[in-house]
């Protein structure tokens, strides 16, 4: 629906790292790969997915902008 995910929403990065959505839909991730998948468990229990590429590994902070979660 284009709205930010609610704070506290559970997110799995590449099926190994569990994290949570912060305020305003912000998400901080560590140890991303060049190709990644997030599996988000929405508050109503329905999962959705986000795939993104992060390029070559770097120590720089990478801003991926807005990403859309799709069923």
């Amino acid at each position: 629906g284009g709205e930010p995910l609610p704070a506290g929403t559970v997110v799995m990065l590449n099926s190994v790292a569990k994290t949570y959505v912060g305020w305003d839909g912000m998400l901080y991730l560590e140890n991303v790969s060049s190709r990644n998948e997030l599996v988000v468990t929405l508050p109503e229990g329905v999962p959705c997915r986000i795939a993104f590429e992060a390029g070559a590994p770097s120590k720089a902070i990478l801003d991926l902008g807005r990403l859309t979660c799709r069923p």
Side-chain angles (χ1 to χ4, degrees):
E3 296 298 317
L5 294 169
T9 300
V10 177
V11 178
M12 290 293 293
L13 171 63
N14 298 327
S15 300
V16 291
K18 182 177 179 180
T19 190
Y20 301 90
V21 174
W23 298 111
D24 299 323
M26 298 294 289
L27 186 61
Y28 177 79
L29 302 169
E30 293 182 324
N31 302 318
V32 297
S33 301
S34 56
R35 303 179 108 206
N36 301 277
E37 181 182 53
L38 301 175
V39 177
V40 179
T41 303
L42 299 172
E44 53 276 353
V46 178
C48 67
R49 294 175 169 14
I50 301 169
F52 67 93
E53 295 187 18
S58 169
K59 294 201 183 252
I61 294 174
L62 181 64
D63 183 350
L64 297 171
R66 292 185 142 221
L67 300 173
T68 302
C69 198
R70 304 199 186 279

